Amino acid sequence: MKYNFDQEICRLGTACEKWDDLENHFGVKDVIPMWVADMDFQSPQPIIEALKQRVEHGVYGYTLRPDSYMESIVGWLKRRHRWSIEKEWITHSPGVIPALSLAIQSFTQAGDKIIIQPPVYHHFARVIQANGREIVNNPLKLENGHYSIDFEDLEAKIDSTVKMLILCSPHNPIGRVWSKEELTRLGQICMKHNILVVADEIHSDFVYKTHTHIPFASISEEFASHSLTCIAPSKTFNLMGVQTSSIIIPNQQLRDRYDRELNTLSIGSPNIFGVVALEAAYRHGEEWLDQLLEYLQENLEFTLSYFSKNIPQIKVIQPEGTYLVWLDCRELGFSVEEMDQFMLQEARVAMNEGHIFGMEGEGFMRLNIACPRSMLKNALGGIEKAVSSLCKV
Ligand SMILES: Cc1ncc(COP(=O)(O)O)c(C=O)c1O
């Protein structure tokens, strides 16, 4: 392997949310940060070099997205996800969550209903509520350690006031990579009821062996023209700080409406470093990503085997994608507050508490495994020690 993902990099004191915000967020400092979806790895060298060159130029004025930038996105989707798009379909957003907010403002009215599928990335609910729209929950079904979409519940909850469904694909936090059959059935239901699908595919580049991410809009022309797809190099290359995302909207009328909202807020201009980083990532980041995926696969196998051998009281929901691992801790028998305190005070590990992803997440914790294996070992060791001390009581 050319890249050394075992290297520990000190991020303290770099205004890094994952490390420097621990005390503010969790009320404790000396815990291992395995929370927010941010990796403890350096970005690939070609991105660092491209940014250095741009920094050296020393002039950081208003910036454009050149054709080569747009073509790099087209090329990425074609090579990595077998999805052919026109560069005219691409529009923009600083982040994916701002894009969800813009989509809600562009395509729904106050009081309209929007479907989400909890347990799901907590900002979906927040952004719907912040925009004065109503949430309709279509909880995922958990059977024998496997999550699936509850299509009967979905159909039962649809009425004429439901205007949008926000799809998380791959799904954070439970790690499903939806199959073509599942996406097709979901899409057909949405098309039948004229529901716009906003596909958040920010985790699409993280898929484990034997699974394939299928862009929702690539399934049919009908799905493409009734959907928006949000992607970004941010999770893939650990570039969240440059705030640069791409929103694919094949339907020109929808794209124009989205762009009007973007322009109303005057947030359509790019971040100069985002332009450079995105293009370098999509043009030169593939070798690094392939190696990263191998490393994450090994981290996942290590995690699965560690829990089954040493902490069998916690059941791991095996992810098919993402670097987030959903831990079923219900057997420990804690209340929500007890669980949060136990993981922080006894295990000394900061994870995302399952309940923030919806009440369906109560009794679960989300573990981020995108870190050097030494850090992962320490975190799992902390959880093991804390859980085994429970058994001795
Ligand atoms: C599913 C999902 N969507 C969006 C985001 C955040 O996107 P952004 O930082 O681009 O707003 C995250 C971050 O964890 C996520 O998991």
Side-chain angles (χ1 to χ4, degrees):
M1 227 184 238
K2 178 170 153 195
Y3 288 98
N4 178 12
F5 298 103
D6 282 326
Q7 190 193 348
E8 292 192 31
I9 298 162
C10 178
R11 301 178 69 187
L12 282 168
T14 62
C16 157
E17 183 179 343
K18 190 177 188 183
W19 288 79
D20 289 326
D21 205 37
L22 279 174
E23 193 167 16
N24 178 39
H25 192 91
F26 293 99
V28 282
K29 222 155 88 175
D30 50 344
V31 289
I32 305 175
M34 308 293 280
W35 61 304
V36 59
D38 171 309
M39 305 193 280
D40 288 302
F41 303 125
Q42 264 192 347
S43 292
Q45 205 55 35
I47 300 181
I48 299 173
E49 292 306 324
L51 286 170
K52 272 188 189 164
Q53 250 191 33
R54 195 66 194 80
V55 166
E56 283 298 322
H57 184 251
V59 185
Y60 313 124
Y62 289 121
T63 302
L64 296 169
R65 295 179 185 91
D67 253 10
S68 58
Y69 171 96
M70 308 295 264
E71 280 154 11
S72 73
I73 301 167
V74 173
W76 183 261
L77 287 172
K78 177 100 185 128
R79 288 194 310 281
R80 300 294 297 193
H81 301 296
R82 295 161 304 285
W83 185 22
S84 300
I85 67 159
E86 309 286 331
K87 64 176 190 264
E88 290 70 29
W89 298 355
I90 304 170
T91 178
H92 315 283
S93 172
V96 167
I97 292 305
L100 299 183
S101 198
L102 284 165
I104 290 170
Q105 287 164 23
S106 309
F107 306 114
T108 67
Q109 309 284 328
D112 281 349
K113 294 181 187 160
I114 300 176
I115 299 177
I116 58 173
Q117 300 177 302
V120 71
Y121 181 55
H122 50 304
H123 286 280
F124 286 8
R126 196 190 55 74
V127 87
I128 294 170
Q129 279 163 335
N131 281 291
R133 298 345 183 219
E134 203 180 309
I135 297 169
V136 175
N137 283 312
N138 166 227
L140 299 176
K141 280 196 291 198
L142 175 59
E143 287 160 324
N144 304 320
H146 183 79
Y147 279 93
S148 59
I149 296 174
D150 188 341
F151 290 105
E152 285 74 32
D153 178 73
L154 175 63
E155 292 229 63
K157 287 190 175 150
I158 293 175
D159 63 29
S160 60
T161 60
V162 174
K163 302 291 184 206
M164 182 180 279
L165 179 143
I166 305 181
L167 173 71
C168 197
S169 177
H171 192 104
N172 169 13
I174 56 93
R176 276 299 315 279
V177 173
W178 303 116
S179 68
K180 187 166 183 186
E181 290 68 34
E182 288 170 308
L183 292 170
T184 303
R185 191 164 167 198
L186 180 109
Q188 283 167 345
I189 294 172
C190 290
M191 300 304 115
K192 184 168 129 199
H193 297 280
N194 204 18
I195 293 172
L196 184 69
V197 175
V198 178
D200 176 342
E201 302 192 0
I202 197 168
H203 292 283
S204 53
D205 294 316
F206 297 104
V207 170
Y208 294 107
K209 274 184 208 149
T210 75
H211 296 281
T212 307
H213 167 75
I214 298 172
F216 174 80
S218 72
I219 292 177
S220 72
E221 275 185 28
E222 191 186 17
F223 289 8
S225 62
H226 291 86
S227 66
L228 284 70
T229 302
C230 308
I231 60 161
S234 56
K235 297 286 166 209
T236 314
F237 297 98
N238 221 27
L239 291 169
M240 284 68 83
V242 296
Q243 287 286 297
T244 301
S245 309
S246 307
I247 316 304
I248 322 295
I249 313 181
N251 179 326
Q252 191 180 341
Q253 279 180 348
L254 297 183
R255 197 166 63 245
D256 288 347
R257 274 164 74 180
Y258 175 92
D259 281 344
R260 260 203 306 280
E261 208 58 47
L262 192 70
N263 293 332
T264 305
L265 295 171
S266 299
I267 53 169
S269 290
N271 172 308
I272 189 168
F273 299 110
V275 170
V276 172
L278 178 145
E279 190 171 341
Y282 284 161
R283 287 190 186 280
H284 308 294
E286 245 164 309
E287 185 193 23
W288 178 90
L289 176 60
D290 288 336
Q291 291 183 22
L292 171 70
L293 289 173
E294 278 177 41
Y295 192 83
L296 290 176
Q297 181 88 43
E298 287 166 14
N299 267 4
L300 175 63
E301 278 154 21
F302 177 79
T303 304
L304 291 168
S305 115
Y306 198 99
F307 275 100
S308 85
K309 278 197 206 124
N310 308 310
I311 328 173
Q313 301 87 337
I314 296 178
K315 308 280 179 293
V316 182
I317 306 292
Q318 183 158 353
E320 298 165 348
T322 82
Y323 52 73
L324 307 164
V325 179
W326 192 232
L327 305 177
D328 182 350
C329 310
R330 290 176 296 176
E331 212 178 298
L332 300 180
F334 290 135
S335 69
V336 163
E337 294 74 26
E338 285 167 345
M339 177 88 76
D340 297 351
Q341 284 315 304
F342 176 77
M343 291 302 177
L344 285 171
Q345 302 296 345
E346 307 302 326
R348 310 300 298 172
V349 178
M351 290 180 274
N352 289 98
E353 310 87 344
H355 59 89
I356 67 171
F357 303 99
M359 59 182 275
E360 298 75 9
E362 286 179 14
F364 292 76
M365 299 296 285
R366 192 190 76 174
L367 175 77
N368 176 349
I369 61 164
C371 60
R373 197 140 321 130
S374 53
M375 188 173 149
L376 179 61
K377 277 184 189 161
N378 285 340
L380 299 188
I383 299 173
E384 180 188 359
K385 205 160 140 218
V387 172
S388 61
S389 74
L390 281 177
C391 307
K392 287 188 195 127
V393 175

